[in-house]
Amino acid sequence: MMSCRQGGGWCNDVESCMERAITRRGSTRYMTKLETSLLYFRGQKIWQAIISDLLPKGLAHAEEALLSGCSAGGLAVFLHCDSFTRFLPRNASAKCLSDAGFFLDATDIGRNYSMRSFYNDLIALQGVEQSLNRNCTTSETDPWQCFFPQHVLGYISTPFFVLNSAYDVYQFHHILVPPSADLHGHWNHCKNNITVCSESQIQVLQDYRVEMLKAIYPFYKKSITGGMYINSCFAHCQSESQDTWFAVDSPKVHNQAIAEAVGNWYFERNRTKLIDCPYPCDTTCRNLIA
């Protein structure tokens, strides 16, 4: 059985959460008008309700199970991976895959930790700390650290696969160069078309790639059951589209498409930890700047 968590970002203050509450990303009722100023943060209850719904439909007797997710859903896989396995039979083979969920704890071009601040506000507003990995929160200095994959990954015991671009478009636009750090729009053209980026802008992107590889290196070096596929395509979420997942012209690293690499890891055919060469050497990339 495979369970997939959809992406869609987050809200970190009352105003942004109120705006979200009247969209499909905030309510299953798709409300067009908000009649109340109350907000209910029920992510953990929704997660438990989903699992409770799946158990009698086969999850309780599953022999193999994969929890996956993309973007914000990919981050959720890091947060729920070990708890997911506790619902399964003891002899079940449970594994987790995060696509585009390895959000980096890094400074933006203004040398500010804007994403760290965002997550810290989110944790405080929504009371997320109680749902974070216990081994991580008792070992790290601050709870927000355990919301970032690079800090929590080492505490996850379930076999884990990290699928991510070293130049993830969402991170490029919102962590490395958020609007707050580029008030005059010097990066706008580069964001829309990577081929027009200046040499200095490309170097900033290359430095970000190096920082991501450094952050995931402990997992690369120490994890026996883990797998990874870090390509150099300007994209975000590559497992949801057949074009990038497994097509004739899909992106490849070491001549392996994403689906092939994930399959080799999942079925334990070989050790699968693939890292692409830096941009622009990979000619198989589609570079989806959207």
Side-chain angles (χ1 to χ4, degrees):
M1 176 173 284
M2 178 175 176
S3 175
C4 184
R5 308 201 69 179
Q6 194 175 35
W10 315 267
C11 59
N12 70 322
D13 55 36
V14 172
E15 182 179 359
S16 62
C17 289
M18 289 289 286
E19 292 175 355
R20 194 179 188 83
I22 56 174
T23 72
R24 64 182 180 85
R25 293 192 173 106
S27 173
T28 55
R29 288 182 284 178
Y30 306 104
M31 295 184 295
T32 57
K33 184 178 181 181
L34 192 64
E35 301 293 346
T36 177
S37 59
L38 294 177
L39 288 170
Y40 299 93
F41 300 109
R42 291 174 172 166
Q44 185 65 25
K45 289 185 177 181
I46 292 172
W47 161 249
Q48 293 168 347
I50 292 171
I51 294 297
S52 296
D53 182 65
L54 290 175
L55 286 172
K57 295 179 179 178
L59 185 61
H61 307 288
E63 296 179 359
E64 296 180 338
L66 175 67
L67 177 66
S68 71
C70 156
S71 193
L75 176 59
V77 174
F78 284 99
L79 304 182
H80 291 292
C81 182
D82 280 345
S83 65
F84 171 69
T85 64
R86 300 187 191 111
F87 294 99
L88 303 173
R90 287 190 175 184
N91 61 345
S93 172
K95 299 184 179 183
C96 299
L97 181 152
S98 170
D99 176 11
F102 198 84
F103 295 96
L104 204 58
D105 179 18
T107 59
D108 58 32
I109 57 172
R111 301 301 178 190
N112 297 309
Y113 284 95
S114 53
M115 204 63 179
R116 183 184 294 183
S117 176
F118 182 94
Y119 280 165
N120 198 34
D121 291 343
L122 184 156
I123 291 169
L125 177 68
Q126 301 185 25
V128 175
E129 183 176 350
Q130 61 183 348
S131 301
L132 298 177
N133 186 295
R134 292 296 182 193
N135 292 329
C136 182
T137 55
T138 55
S139 301
E140 300 296 334
T141 306
D142 296 302
W144 60 260
Q145 290 176 279
C146 301
F147 207 79
F148 280 101
Q150 69 198 73
H151 300 304
V152 74
L153 185 54
Y155 298 98
I156 298 173
S157 58
T158 306
F160 206 102
F161 193 97
V162 179
L163 166 59
N164 227 94
S165 166
Y167 307 96
D168 182 274
V169 173
Y170 181 91
Q171 297 197 48
F172 173 16
H173 291 187
H174 300 279
I175 297 181
L176 180 60
V177 192
S180 60
D182 185 32
L183 297 177
H184 299 291
H186 296 306
W187 280 77
N188 287 351
H189 292 301
C190 178
K191 282 183 173 182
N192 292 326
N193 183 356
I194 191 65
T195 63
V196 302
C197 296
S198 66
E199 288 186 14
S200 61
Q201 288 173 328
I202 290 293
Q203 187 56 54
V204 170
L205 291 167
Q206 302 293 22
D207 291 343
Y208 192 80
R209 171 184 178 271
V210 170
E211 192 162 359
M212 176 173 285
L213 295 182
K214 285 181 179 178
I216 204 169
Y217 182 75
F219 175 75
Y220 174 86
K221 189 73 173 178
K222 298 177 182 178
S223 177
I224 298 174
T225 60
M228 57 191 287
Y229 191 100
I230 310 296
N231 64 14
S232 295
C233 304
F234 283 82
H236 183 66
C237 291
Q238 301 178 86
S239 64
E240 295 185 334
S241 169
Q242 187 70 13
D243 289 341
T244 51
W245 174 250
F246 190 53
V248 175
D249 58 348
S250 290
K252 289 180 173 62
V253 176
H254 298 175
N255 205 34
Q256 287 188 50
I258 295 169
E260 292 175 300
V262 172
N264 287 336
W265 162 77
Y266 186 85
F267 294 107
E268 300 175 4
R269 290 192 282 258
N270 56 47
R271 183 176 181 269
T272 308
K273 292 181 178 176
L274 306 179
I275 299 176
D276 207 355
C277 51
Y279 172 85
C281 75
D282 190 342
T283 58
T284 68
C285 285
R286 293 172 176 269
N287 293 330
L288 308 174
I289 306 287

